[in-house]
Amino acid sequence: MFRFLSTARLVVVGGSLSYRALSNWATPPMFVGTLLVGPLLQVFFFVCLGREPGVADDRFHLVGNAVPAASASCVYGGTMAVANERRYGTLGAVLLSPRHRIPLWAGRALPYVLNGLRFWDVFLVSNVASLAVALLGAFERGGRRRTTLDVM
């Protein structure tokens, strides 16, 4: 029982401390610019581009762009954590510590995975809401078919 609690403490406390200490996304402009603005513009571009040939509806493009956007936050975060460990000279101490490696690195990856899941939800809700509002006015005035509003 003590070993399980020690491992759980290493995962939770160690992961949260390393996330707070090594995150370059500590400032809100950097976080919003990296994780929200770029992927939002990417989705808008691909939805507008994919709408013209009429191959698939907008749900396909929303989910298709939400998957790499959420996984990119996990990959960027994990890479950033290891790179910052190396930059600040603590990677050697982490690798030479007597703690078990799997809980140690799982704890350091867990905040970035949770961040990616949280980002997935925010990304899908914001894209569906913003595209529905933007498309509502555009398709009611024009003579084009209402493809996006039919899927919601």
Side-chain angles (χ1 to χ4, degrees), residues 11 17-18 23 49 53 64 69 73-75 89-90 104-105 110 135:
V11 169
L17 287 176
S18 73
S23 182
L49 183 70
S73 74
C74 295
V75 171
T90 57
L104 181 74
W105 290 106
L110 185 64
L135 295 176

Side-chain angles (χ1 to χ4, degrees), residues 87-99:
R87 177 180 176 196
Y88 297 130
T90 57
L91 184 61
V94 169
L95 291 175
L96 293 175
S97 69
R99 305 296 287 199

